[in-house]
Amino acid sequence: MKKHLLLVWIVAACQLTVSQAQSTLNYPGRYMGQEEVQLFTAPNGAVADAGFAKILQLIYPQPTIEKTAEGIWVIGGYSIANFVVIETDEGLIVIDTGDSEEEGKIIREVIRENISKKPIIAAIYTHSHYCLGTGALVDDPKTAIIIGHKKLNETVQTALNAGGAIAAIPELGPVLSARKAIQFNNFLPDTGEDGLLGGRIRDKKNAYLPANKVVENEEIVKIGGMDFQFFTEYKSDDYNLTIWLPKQKVVINNFYWPGIPNLYSIRGASYRDPTEWRDGLQVMRDLKPENMVNTHARTVSGAKEVFEAISHYMDMVTLVYDQSLRGVLHGLGPDELRYFVYLPKHLADFPNNAQAYGEVPWFTPAAFYHQMGWFDRDVSTLQKLPPVEEAQRTVALMGGRKKVLQAAKTSFGKRELAWAAQLGNYLFTIDPKDAETRKLLADVYRAMGQSSLSMIGRTFFLSEARALEGKEQLPRVVPPKPENIAGKPTFFVNMYRVRIDPRKSENTEKMLVFNFSNGTTAGLHVRRGIAEFVPNPAKHYRPADLTCTVDTKTWADLYLNATTLDEASKSGGVKMTKGSLDDLKAVMDLFDKFDPAKNYTIPVSDTEF
């Protein structure tokens, strides 16, 4: 009886708390005309929220060489990330090496001209994102010490071989690649009101050297006569090395950024555990450094200043995560969580906690989805209408297209941007070619981009606006490079399986075997709606119905729909050894073909992708 009464009390208390929580939700007033938005114009003409001018003080926006401590320099402003140079009696050590061979060459010259002409004898990677210029930096790639996390080589090789963004589900890498291209300014011009702010990442020739010295957590390694201690246990946006120089009391890291940590990336990424990010910061705090050198942010100097910086930053991560969980306990769903978290003034006002890269409302739903999945316990969503039908019915209920369009224009005039976008999107869902709707949404998204607190939000909004205006073409997928496909043909046979159309193939069962010119073999067992990848066809329970020998380059062209089976057969790139070419064509036609004209959100023109 007492247990029952206790349960009733808990339920009642929770219900009361839910009501209280919902009444205090933070509201997106910035995008609903309820906050005054101050804009500024950057030197390149880019129009953005005035807060970006302050963010520029947290990074090295122009080429800069800064001496942090005796024998330690930070080079900023030459790349999307900073470089660190450490001078020892035996030579130079470089921490992080850039995004390409070209960047490696540039930084090598900067070092020679401004720091030292000593040989570069070692490189250390803080993580996998900025390690592609090493071969152009070190003096002797054969003898250089290359230090990295135990997961680094695997992570980098996966990315290089796949020819796209790293994905927890490799089959979706092409989608993440496309969104990454948008995030990093590839569809914004260099100048003008839509001009880029921040770095632009493009695929260039790399000079990656794998780590030949993998370090364990808290391991101390002597390089050039200097002691380096490495911490490997915690992860931010990647597997990290935090580097501690005990004699100099300098810590070098990828946990402290110029803006609140991107606890969720809207380009798409694996779940980023905020508790790991928090604990990685705590490791640095407890070392009591006097200088904190960062991959993206300016160096923080002074023991007191570093302690306060880490504490404020760490507390912001803790607050966002713990309050997200508190909201879930109150019964809030992911959309309600977006505006639930209250940011105490002392944390919100701390410069490096600015929502400059990502925004808090994007982070809070991630914890919900990670644990709870998509269902927020609103049973009306269990059998939801398809988006087009929902839009059609909603617009009809509102009085039709003209009324909805006028309402959206009125909301836009009142700077109710979020509502104008939602109304306009109903019309766009029904008819993406509606010129008036496209014009309205382009204007709305440009205004939202200029009002955005975050660099990523600005980039996505402006890129979409430009696509609606026909100035850019935004890819849904960026396919892997032909050389990546040719280099790992069996891997991409596995990737190919997800293209099968179950409507076309539900009455077909055929076993295909591909013998590639590099000596590898793989199969696809097409079985009434699915295609099973068979890594060892000789051991598969069904013998081959169709077998062919395929040149790896030809396979890459077939994968990308750059050639046909007829053309490949005529050129000798495909040779049948069992079954007929017509039978192979019939089975391969059950799979989707990559068609660039159909893989873009708003088809306009060709892109460099």
Side-chain angles (χ1 to χ4, degrees), residues 278 296 535 561:
R278 173 200 67 199
H296 295 288
N561 201 32

Side-chain angles (χ1 to χ4, degrees), residues 204-263:
K204 296 181 180 179
K205 183 180 179 182
N206 79 80
Y208 173 65
L209 295 181
N212 54 32
K213 169 62 178 172
V214 172
V215 291
E216 299 296 329
N217 189 48
E218 299 190 19
E219 182 176 353
I220 297 174
V221 179
K222 194 176 288 292
I223 312 172
M226 182 182 292
D227 284 340
F228 291 74
Q229 186 173 22
F230 299 96
F231 296 87
T232 67
E233 191 172 0
Y234 300 115
K235 187 178 180 183
S236 60
D237 65 330
D238 193 24
Y239 297 101
N240 291 324
L241 284 189
T242 294
I243 304 156
W244 172 236
L245 306 179
K247 183 178 179 181
Q248 295 82 1
K249 294 190 179 300
V250 173
V251 69
I252 304 163
N253 76 99
N254 183 45
F255 284 99
Y256 187 82
W257 290 10
I260 184 173
N262 219 19
L263 299 176

Side-chain angles (χ1 to χ4, degrees), residues 380-548:
S380 72
T381 65
L382 289 177
Q383 298 297 336
K384 198 170 182 179
L385 289 173
V388 173
E389 185 174 350
E390 179 185 351
Q392 289 171 335
R393 288 175 177 270
T394 301
V395 168
L397 195 64
M398 290 177 167
R401 174 190 173 278
K402 288 185 178 180
K403 287 191 175 181
V404 173
L405 183 62
Q406 184 55 51
K409 290 179 178 179
T410 300
S411 293
F412 176 53
K414 294 191 292 185
R415 298 288 296 179
E416 296 174 351
L417 305 177
W419 182 233
Q422 188 169 335
L423 291 174
N425 196 54
Y426 285 135
L427 300 177
F428 183 81
T429 300
I430 295 170
D431 183 7
K433 297 180 180 179
D434 185 325
E436 276 192 284
T437 298
R438 291 169 71 99
K439 173 66 168 62
L440 168 71
L441 283 177
D443 292 341
V444 171
Y445 291 152
R446 178 165 286 107
M448 294 182 83
Q450 293 175 352
S451 302
S452 179
L453 293 168
S454 76
M455 190 175 298
I456 299 176
R458 180 181 184 274
T459 303
F460 269 89
F461 279 128
L462 294 184
S463 297
E464 197 73 17
R466 293 176 63 81
L468 285 162
E469 293 169 336
K471 296 174 181 175
E472 299 289 346
Q473 184 177 1
L474 305 184
R476 283 193 184 133
V477 299
V478 174
K481 294 181 178 180
E483 56 265 32
N484 291 109
I485 301 170
K488 295 180 66 179
T490 60
F491 174 84
F492 285 97
V493 171
N494 189 16
M495 298 299 101
Y496 202 78
R497 76 182 200 286
V498 302
R499 297 188 187 183
I500 193 157
D501 186 332
R503 287 185 175 85
K504 294 180 179 178
S505 60
E506 67 177 313
N507 295 315
T508 300
E509 182 164 3
K510 293 287 183 181
M511 175 64 186
L512 313 182
V513 175
F514 303 92
N515 295 315
F516 293 106
S517 57
N518 67 350
T520 60
T521 297
L524 283 175
H525 184 178
V526 175
R527 192 168 62 251
R528 303 190 67 182
I530 67 103
E532 178 185 346
F533 172 64
V534 183
N536 190 344
K539 294 184 177 180
H540 192 56
Y541 72 87
R542 181 184 176 97
D545 297 296
L546 300 167
T547 303
C548 58

Side-chain angles (χ1 to χ4, degrees), residues 276-329:
E276 288 209 24
W277 211 308
R278 173 200 67 199
D279 292 347
L281 288 161
Q282 183 175 322
V283 167
M284 295 196 296
R285 181 197 66 185
D286 294 347
L287 290 170
K288 300 180 180 177
E290 294 180 0
N291 285 283
M292 179 170 62
V293 178
N294 314 293
T295 52
H296 295 288
R298 282 183 179 271
T299 296
V300 181
S301 296
K304 180 176 180 289
E305 289 78 6
V306 171
F307 178 83
E308 290 181 351
I310 295 176
S311 296
H312 280 77
Y313 204 68
M314 191 172 85
D315 289 352
M316 180 64 111
V317 174
T318 300
L319 181 112
V320 171
Y321 180 63
D322 288 355
Q323 289 303 304
S324 297
L325 302 188
R326 175 175 170 246
V328 177
L329 290 171

Side-chain angles (χ1 to χ4, degrees), residues 334-351:
D335 289 336
E336 295 164 309
L337 284 174
R338 289 176 179 271
Y339 306 108
F340 173 70
V341 176
Y342 170 76
L343 304 180
K345 190 174 188 302
H346 73 285
L347 291 181
D349 289 348
F350 179 65

